[in-house]
Amino acid sequence: MRTLQVDLGERSYPIYIGGGLLAETGEYFERHNLAKKSPLLIVTDEHVGPLYLSKLETSLQNSGYRTISKVVKAGEKSKSLEVFEEIMTTAIEGGLDRHSVVIALGGGVVGDLAGFVAASYMRGVKFVQIPTTILAHDSSVGGKVAVNHRLAKNMIGAFHQPEMVLYDVDTLQTLPERDVRSGLSEMIKHGLIWDKSFTDWCRDQSDKLLDLDPESLVYGLTLGCSIKAQVVSTDEREHGLRAILNLGHTLGHALEATGGYGQFLHGEAISIGMVAAAKIAVNRGRDQSIYLVTKDLFERFGLPTTIPSQMNEDDIIAAMMHDKKFKENQIIYVLPISIGEVEIVNDVTADDVRHVIQELKEEGQHV
Amino acid sequence: MRTLQVDLGERSYPIYIGGGLLAETGEYFERHNLAKKSPLLIVTDEHVGPLYLSKLETSLQNSGYRTISKVVKAGEKSKSLEVFEEIMTTAIEGGLDRHSVVIALGGGVVGDLAGFVAASYMRGVKFVQIPTTILAHDSSVGGKVAVNHRLAKNMIGAFHQPEMVLYDVDTLQTLPERDVRSGLSEMIKHGLIWDKSFTDWCRDQSDKLLDLDPESLVYGLTLGCSIKAQVVSTDEREHGLRAILNLGHTLGHALEATGGYGQFLHGEAISIGMVAAAKIAVNRGRDQSIYLVTKDLFERFGLPTTIPSQMNEDDIIAAMMHDKKFKENQIIYVLPISIGEVEIVNDVTADDVRHVIQELKEEGQHV
């Protein structure tokens, strides 16, 4: 078991990463002095709930906690204001008070959704994350919580740091293969923006990671979380450096929105986005190897690196225009300088993006 | 013109109170270095919009700002997630970015609603309040923003401090008489919890205040805001002292909820709530004069001090049970010790409240 401290002053919190943690949740809650008189609300989804909810409830109840739970539909579509309101109803009817804790048991969607509930219920209650996906290693660091608006992703949200994160890698063993790949996409991103040696490690370990080897997972998740924690500690509210975490996300979010939040998993969309960012960097004069290495890396993990030919450039660009990464109508773009190092630029034009979309569509047709 | 600084460390902000400020908004925005490249969103309601929106837009546009606006229906019912989502749509379609400012032009409803939009749009943008009611002097200090859930008031929200508050007392001249009385109710509350001499001043000035005498208004609003600012500076996130501001609100919110947020104005409901709190204090052994002075004070301002006989005790108690002021199932109640001084107690029972509801219903039938 590894413990990683996310350093944010009085909002600092630990991430516990290891096996068997779910059954020890009650003890962790006691160790963190979380109130026993107030009911806890567990938010999970219909995939994760049947597998792990009763184990979590049992552990909490054995330590004397009262729990209520809300099971939402799996998938990005639950990150809506409608589902948010349903959870609020459950919370009010269940008698949650200001000392209650909201627990997210699930992946990034459940974490973002339950986190925004915790941030806004009675103007903010405590929050604990129990991620059950690899992808969630990303959202479990940094306190960004949100729901989607039909016009753009993560548009309605808050910064709300958890009390702790309990990362039980045993829960990853039941992940569908596509979700494994999607999750590893964010892990790889953390190498690409910060640490060439971690990128090399990811490539070398691709088979073990895809096979969910526990030791590789604990190491990779700890490194991934640690890189994110270093960035977030420097810039909690995304005024500067934190933007490098958006590598691949400008185009990635637009692909997700254009596909109706159903066609691509998040990790798949940003895989394409990172390959596109590498291509834009090369088109602007960086070494061709950046594109080739990036593309090869994601292909090793079975992640998409091209854009389906039926997707329309104009739709994708329009979705980008609605995205938060626009600052006074300029695109803020994260581009690789080399493997393990990125820069934030503000002079990428819509035409540059349109051009690379066309290139990645053509690339897809050659396969 | 008076300036009051709300002291909250790096979240400190000024409240400007005086005549003619609306037409100078553009200059105040420039003085506060608010971004000109990003569009501003003005949220107002259908009562205030026709009177003051174009004046505000003109002032901002003369200083080089671009504005978009959203006019919502007047009244508490607009403090819903549905209207919140509509405003988010306007914001996204209008191209608001992270440097944009959301402006609340209106009373407490518009302030709370627009404030929660500012708190959650892209996880938080800047917020400026331009109150046009007396009641809003209360909500313009302290950064509490929220929308209602159908089961309870202000259940979904955040703490989000404004950049500044521009309080143009000229806009109060168009207030309907009932809103004037309702607003003065919160002003009187600030005396009752903190300052006997301010309470005496309010009683002595009741005619001038009801006649909207500008000098009395500027003085009373400055004192009211100043008391609230002192309390909030000590306890920004309501861990202790700040709860004294809830004098009259435990029962008041329940009366509003039971009446469907339409029967009582907020100031009317808390007027009854403060009289009820005085009565509970007397029932628990405090001097009878506390009740008599409190009741007389609100009667001078033409505010209600009894409960309509057709309201059901059980409905009111049930609404209270859903309210945030319950902590681990105990009622946290603010009770007067004397005029100008209150205490926070946790041993008021539902039966105590039921009893006082009956007393205030009987009192109403004697009139």
Side-chain angles (χ1 to χ4, degrees), chain B residues 144-185:
Chain B
K144 276 186 168 187
V145 296
V147 297
N148 300 325
H149 187 281
R150 66 183 158 76
L151 295 174
K153 220 179 123 124
N154 291 330
M155 200 48 101
I156 302 170
F159 289 90
H160 193 66
Q161 306 297 342
E163 296 300 302
M164 66 174 142
V165 178
L166 278 173
Y167 217 137
D168 185 344
V169 295
D170 294 346
T171 64
L172 306 176
Q173 299 300 327
T174 49
L175 272 181
E177 189 185 315
R178 198 176 159 198
D179 290 309
V180 171
R181 295 181 199 280
S182 171
L184 292 169
S185 184

Side-chain angles (χ1 to χ4, degrees), chain A residues 251 317 320 331 333 348-357:
Chain A
L251 183 59
I317 299 284
M320 271 177 58
I331 309 182
Y333 227 103
V348 170
T349 65
D351 279 345
D352 294 338
V353 180
R354 193 185 305 272
H355 181 65
V356 88
I357 293 171

Side-chain angles (χ1 to χ4, degrees), chain A residues 75-349:
Chain A
E76 188 77 22
K77 284 185 181 166
S78 282
K79 267 178 66 175
S80 68
L81 274 180
E82 289 67 34
V83 177
F84 170 81
E85 185 166 21
E86 282 174 27
I87 302 174
M88 285 289 176
T89 305
T90 304
I92 297 169
E93 290 178 342
L96 258 73
D97 63 38
R98 288 186 172 155
H99 297 263
S100 291
V101 180
V102 175
I103 303 167
L105 173 67
V109 166
V110 163
D112 281 4
L113 176 63
F116 189 46
V117 169
S120 21
Y121 185 72
M122 294 183 172
R123 300 195 182 88
V125 296
K126 286 178 177 171
F127 178 43
V128 167
Q129 280 191 278
I130 304 182
T132 61
T133 66
I134 298 172
L135 190 65
H137 87 279
D138 180 53
S139 52
S140 68
V141 183
K144 276 186 170 188
V145 296
V147 296
N148 299 326
H149 186 282
R150 67 182 158 75
L151 295 175
K153 224 181 122 130
N154 292 328
M155 199 50 99
I156 303 170
F159 288 90
H160 193 65
Q161 306 297 341
E163 295 300 302
M164 67 174 139
V165 177
L166 279 172
Y167 216 138
D168 185 344
V169 295
D170 294 347
T171 64
L172 305 177
Q173 299 300 323
T174 50
L175 273 180
E177 190 186 314
R178 196 176 160 200
D179 291 308
V180 171
R181 295 181 199 281
S182 171
L184 292 170
S185 183
E186 284 278 12
M187 186 188 287
I188 296 165
K189 182 199 78 179
H190 288 121
L192 285 176
I193 63 171
W194 197 257
D195 185 344
K196 182 175 184 308
S197 66
F198 182 49
T199 309
D200 294 342
W201 180 90
C202 287
R203 188 175 51 237
D204 295 346
Q205 298 280 314
S206 60
D207 290 343
K208 282 192 174 179
L209 286 166
L210 287 167
D211 284 348
L212 297 167
D213 171 66
E215 202 181 321
S216 298
L217 277 180
V218 171
Y219 181 81
L221 291 173
T222 306
L223 251 288
C225 288
S226 154
I227 289 170
K228 180 148 186 193
Q230 288 173 64
V231 174
V232 168
S233 300
T234 312
D235 177 24
E236 186 178 358
R237 295 186 73 92
E238 197 165 0
H239 296 304
L241 180 70
R242 187 165 176 164
I244 69 171
L245 296 166
N246 290 323
L247 177 67
H249 283 61
T250 305
L251 183 59
H253 281 170
L255 290 170
E256 286 180 89
T258 312
Y261 298 127
Q263 183 173 359
F264 294 108
L265 296 181
H266 179 65
E268 294 168 346
I270 64 163
S271 169
I272 298 169
M274 286 186 267
V275 172
K279 187 77 181 169
I280 292 172
V282 170
N283 291 348
R284 288 161 60 100
R286 296 283 177 201
D287 195 90
Q288 171 78 0
S289 68
I290 295 174
Y291 169 67
L292 296 175
V293 168
T294 304
K295 184 175 164 71
D296 171 69
L297 183 60
F298 288 106
E299 281 174 350
R300 273 174 195 258
F301 283 87
L303 284 158
T305 58
T306 62
I307 294 176
S309 58
Q310 73 278 13
M311 291 190 89
N312 182 287
E313 285 91 318
D314 291 334
D315 293 346
I316 300 171
I317 299 284
M320 271 177 58
M321 292 295 183
H322 280 141
D323 203 61
K324 292 187 302 302
K325 275 164 279 301
F326 279 79
K327 190 171 166 179
E328 294 166 3
N329 238 345
Q330 282 186 310
I331 309 182
I332 302 298
Y333 227 103
V334 186
L335 296 179
I337 296 171
S338 61
I339 299 299
E341 195 187 358
V342 293
E343 62 181 339
I344 301 168
V345 301
N346 63 7
D347 61 347
V348 170
T349 65

